[in-house]
C-alpha cells in the first residue's frame, strides 16, 4: 500500500503540553487536506497518510510541505514487518546501472535480524535482480530505506523531503502583523507563523496618494501567505489624514518617526479590539533610519503592553529576499506601487530620534483624535 510518512520533531520537547501541540498539528494537517480523499493514522512517532488516489500524491505532498510543525515526509510503501514481505518488495526494485545503498532502521528490536545484517542481505537481493547496479556506501545515487516500526509494519522509501519545521500554527497564540507592500513584512508574517503564531494583518494606506493597485498588492501578499498561515483577517486603515497633519505641523526629519509611533498606537488598539497578543513587524536592525536602535526605542516605546516581535531583526536583506522567494511573495513585493511611507518621504529622516523631541513634535498634533479617526474608518477583509 502506498502511503506518505510524516515526521515531526520539536514537539517532543514540549513535555506536558505535547498533547495540545500534537492535536493542533493533526488538526492543521487535516484541514490542509480538506477536499482530498485520505486516511490519517497516528502510529509510533509518525503519522501515516493513506487511501488517496495515486494521481493526487504530488498535490498532497505539496500541501503537506506547507504545514508548520512537520519536519520531513517520505512517499513510501507500507508492508508487513516480516523478512519475507520486505524481501519480496525489494526484489521488485529496478535500479538499472545506478549505485545504491540499503539503510535499515529497526524501532522493533525483536525483529529477527540486526539492522546491519538485514541491510546487507537486502543489498544482495537488489544485486541479484539488477546485475548492473552497484553498492556504493558513501555517495549512492539511490538510497533504499527500510524503516521497521513497532506497529508490525515496515515502510520502504527512497527520499526524505524536507518540510517547514517549526511549531504547529496556533500553538503560540495570535498576533497582529503590520503588513506593508514591501519585501520584509510578509517574510516576518511567515516566520512568526512558523513558530506557531496565528496572525491577523494591519495595513495602512494613503489613498488617494496611493493607488488601488497598491491596495491590491497588499491583498495579493496576504493571499500568498494564506497557504502557510491560514486565512487572514486584514485590517485596512487610512493613514492619509495622519500623514497630512504631520506633514503640515511637524519637523520633516521627525516625520517618519512620528508616523511610526502613531502606527504602533493604532496597532495596539487593533490588538485590543481583536484579542491579539503581539505586534509583528518586518524591521531589520540598521536597514533604514527608522530601524536603528534609537528609532525602535521611540516607536516601540508607545506600545504599552504587547510585545513587539521583529523576526527579521538580524537578517540581511539578501537573507530576507531568499525567504521571500522561497515562500513566493517576492515577485509581488517588488511590484513598483507606492507605499504609504514613501508618499511624504522627507530627505533626511532622523537616525537617532529622542523621546523628548518626539513628544514635542507630537504636542503639535491631537494624537488621540487622529488615532480614533483612523480606527473609526477601519475596513476589514477576510483573505483566504
Ligand atoms: P517592508 O519591506 O516590510 O515594507 P521596509 O524595509 O520597507 O519593510 P519600513 O517601511 O521602515 O521598512 O517598515 C518597517 C515595518 O513597518 C514593515 O516591515 C512593516 O511591518 C511596518 N509597516 C511599514 N509600512 C506599513 C504600512 N503601510 N502598513 C502596515 N505596516 C507597515
Ligand atoms: Mg516598507
Amino acid at each position: 500500500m502506498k502511503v506518505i510518512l510524516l515526521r515531526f520533531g520539536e514537539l517532543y520537547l514540549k513535555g506536558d503540553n505535547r498533547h495540545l501541540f500534537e492535536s493542533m498539528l493533526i488538526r492543521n494537517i487535516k484541514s490542509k487536506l480538506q477536499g482530498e480523499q485520505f486516511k490519517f493514522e497516528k502510529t509510533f512517532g509518525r503519522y501515516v497518510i493513506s487511501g488517496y488516489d495515486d494521481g493526487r500524491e504530488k498535490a498532497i505532498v505539496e500541501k503537506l510541505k506547507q504545514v508548520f510543525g512537520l519536519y520531513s515526509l517520505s512517499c513510501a510503501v507500507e508492508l508487513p514487518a516480516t523478512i519475507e514481505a520486505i524481501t519480496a518488495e525489494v526484489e521488485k526494485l529496478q535500479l538499472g546501472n545506478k549505485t545504491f545503498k540499503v539503510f535499515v532502521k529497526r524501532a522493533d528490536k525483536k525483529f529477527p535480524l540486526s539492522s546491519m545484517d538485514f541491510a546487507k542481505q537486502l543489498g544482495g537481493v537488489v544485486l541479484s535482480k539488477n546485475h548492473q547496479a552497484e553498492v556504493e556506501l558513501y555517495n549512492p545515487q539511490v538510497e533504499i530505506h527500510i524503516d521497521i516500526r513497532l506497529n508490525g509494519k515496515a515502510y520502504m522509501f527512497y527520499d526524505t523531503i524536507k518540510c517547514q519545521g517549526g511549531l504547529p500554527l496556533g500553538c503560540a497564540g495570535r498576533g497582529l502583523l503590520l503588513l506593508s507592500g514591501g519585501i520584509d513584512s510578509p517574510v516576518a508574517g511567515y516566520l512568526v507563523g512558523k513558530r506557531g503564531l496565528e496572525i491577523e494583518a494591519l495595513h495602512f494606506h494613503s489613498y488617494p496618494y496611493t493607488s488601488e493597485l497598491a491596495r491590491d498588492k497588499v491583498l495579493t501578499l496576504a493571499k500568498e501567505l494564506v497557504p502557510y498561515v491560514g486565512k487572514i483577517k486584514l485590517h485596512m486603515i487610512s493613514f492619509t489624514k495622519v500623514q497630512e497633519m504631520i506633514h503640515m505641523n511637524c519637523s520633516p526629519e521627525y516625520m517618519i518617526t512620528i508616523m511610526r509611533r502613531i502606527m504602533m498606537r493604532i496597532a495596539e488598539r487593533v490588538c485590543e479590539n481583536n484579542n491579539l497578543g503581539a505586534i509583528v513587524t518586518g524591521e531589520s536592525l540598521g536597514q533604514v533610519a527608522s530601524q536603528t536602535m534609537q528609532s525602535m526605542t521611540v516607536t516601540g516605546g508607545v506600545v504599552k503592553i504587547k510585545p513587539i516581535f521583529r523576526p527579521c531583526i538580524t537578517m540581511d536583506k539578501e537573507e530576507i529576499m531568499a525567504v521571500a522567494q522561497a515562500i513566493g511573495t517576492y515577485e509581488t513585493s517588488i511590484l513598483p506601487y507606492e507605499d504609504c511611507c514613501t508618499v511624504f518621504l522627507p530627505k533626511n529622516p532622523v537616525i537617532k530620534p529622542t523621546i523628548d523631541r518626539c513628544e514635542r513634535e507630537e504636542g503639535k498634533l491631537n494624537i488621540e483624535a487622529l488615532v480614533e479617526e483612523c480606527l473609526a474608518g477601519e475596513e476589514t477583509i477576510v483573505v483566504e
Side-chain angles (χ1 to χ4, degrees):
M1 182 172 64
K2 288 190 80 170
V3 301
I4 301 169
L5 277 183
L6 307 178
R7 306 180 190 87
F8 43 89
E10 224 175 309
L11 290 182
Y12 278 120
L13 300 175
K14 298 296 168 190
D16 287 347
N17 279 337
R18 161 119 193 252
H19 290 293
L20 203 65
F21 279 66
E22 218 182 324
S23 63
M24 279 189 180
L25 179 56
I26 294 172
R27 179 200 65 188
N28 294 348
I29 292 169
K30 288 182 176 169
S31 96
K32 189 69 176 180
L33 296 185
Q34 215 172 28
E36 299 285 352
Q37 204 186 31
F38 70 98
K39 276 203 254 149
F40 178 92
E41 193 194 348
K42 202 175 126 177
T43 70
F44 298 85
R46 300 268 189 280
Y47 301 141
V48 182
I49 305 277
S50 62
Y52 49 87
D53 196 76
D54 240 11
R56 294 300 301 161
E57 184 184 88
K58 244 193 162 142
I60 291 175
V61 165
E62 285 312 309
K63 288 182 189 180
L64 291 168
K65 276 165 71 178
Q66 296 169 328
V67 175
F68 294 130
L70 287 179
Y71 276 64
S72 69
L73 62 81
S74 299
C75 295
V77 181
E78 185 179 284
L79 305 161
T82 63
I83 296 176
E84 297 73 32
I86 297 168
T87 306
E89 196 62 31
V90 168
E91 276 177 350
K92 291 190 218 156
L93 296 177
Q94 294 185 346
L95 297 192
N97 60 359
K98 297 220 170 80
T99 61
F100 73 96
K101 178 177 178 181
V102 180
F103 298 77
V104 174
K105 256 195 7 216
R106 290 183 316 164
D108 181 3
K109 300 296 175 200
K110 290 203 285 295
F111 194 77
L113 283 176
S114 77
S115 302
M116 280 282 264
D117 289 346
F118 195 33
K120 266 191 223 150
Q121 186 173 318
L122 291 173
V125 171
V126 174
L127 287 174
S128 72
K129 299 282 172 187
N130 297 269
H131 297 297
Q132 289 176 306
E134 261 177 69
V135 175
E136 160 66 59
L137 297 183
Y138 297 105
N139 198 11
Q141 288 170 311
V142 181
E143 296 187 357
I144 302 164
H145 292 267
I146 309 288
D147 197 353
I148 300 165
R149 310 298 305 172
L150 281 165
N151 57 353
K153 288 173 184 155
Y155 299 92
M156 186 180 85
F157 57 91
Y158 297 121
D159 301 319
T160 294
I161 299 167
K162 215 171 150 354
C163 297
Q164 300 291 327
L167 296 170
L169 192 68
C171 76
R174 299 169 57 75
L176 181 68
L177 171 68
L178 295 192
L179 181 63
S180 69
I183 296 170
D184 307 334
S185 46
V187 168
Y190 162 83
L191 289 172
V192 290
K194 186 170 166 181
R195 295 307 297 171
L197 193 77
E198 255 176 312
I199 53 169
E200 294 189 8
L202 168 58
H203 177 70
F204 295 99
H205 63 84
S206 311
Y207 192 77
Y209 297 103
T210 55
S211 64
E212 279 293 321
L213 289 172
R215 175 194 160 95
D216 290 348
K217 177 180 176 181
V218 172
L219 283 170
T220 306
L221 285 172
K223 213 177 172 87
E224 286 167 345
L225 284 176
V226 166
Y228 301 98
V229 303
K231 74 174 177 215
I232 298 174
K233 184 169 166 193
L234 176 58
H235 305 262
M236 292 281 202
I237 287 184
S238 168
F239 211 52
T240 313
K241 171 100 179 269
V242 175
Q243 285 182 303
E244 286 171 344
M245 293 307 282
I246 300 173
H247 190 59
M248 281 191 295
N249 295 292
C250 304
S251 161
E253 56 167 351
Y254 265 72
M255 166 125 206
I256 291 192
T257 311
I258 304 303
M259 265 172 52
R260 300 195 59 77
R261 279 166 60 93
I262 297 179
M263 279 186 181
M264 285 297 184
R265 288 181 175 100
I266 295 171
E268 193 167 37
R269 289 284 297 278
V270 172
C271 283
E272 280 161 15
N273 294 342
N274 294 275
N275 203 14
L276 305 170
I279 295 170
V280 183
T281 78
E283 288 162 305
S284 162
L285 187 60
Q287 197 188 77
V288 288
S290 61
Q291 297 176 23
T292 61
M293 182 167 61
Q294 293 82 358
S295 289
M296 284 188 262
T297 304
V298 297
T299 54
V302 298
V303 176
K304 296 283 182 310
I305 301 164
K306 310 291 179 199
I308 301 172
F309 295 157
R310 299 178 173 97
C312 301
I313 195 74
T314 62
M315 294 168 77
D316 292 346
K317 195 75 187 184
E318 303 271 309
E319 292 170 326
I320 300 173
M321 280 159 58
V323 178
Q325 266 154 349
I327 63 175
T329 53
Y330 182 77
E331 295 300 326
T332 306
S333 289
I334 60 173
L335 293 172
Y337 312 123
E338 298 270 275
D339 179 36
C340 83
C341 295
T342 49
V343 174
F344 294 92
L345 207 64
K347 283 203 189 64
N348 296 307
V350 57
I351 290 169
K352 296 183 179 178
T354 65
I355 195 82
D356 287 351
R357 259 310 280 291
C358 287
E359 286 173 356
R360 200 149 18 108
E361 295 300 327
E362 286 177 356
K364 303 170 186 169
L365 304 168
N366 186 343
I367 301 270
E368 258 316 291
L370 283 173
V371 168
E372 290 304 335
E373 204 178 321
C374 284
L375 287 165
E378 179 188 323
E379 179 200 352
T380 61
I381 304 165
V382 175
V383 182
E384 50 195 331

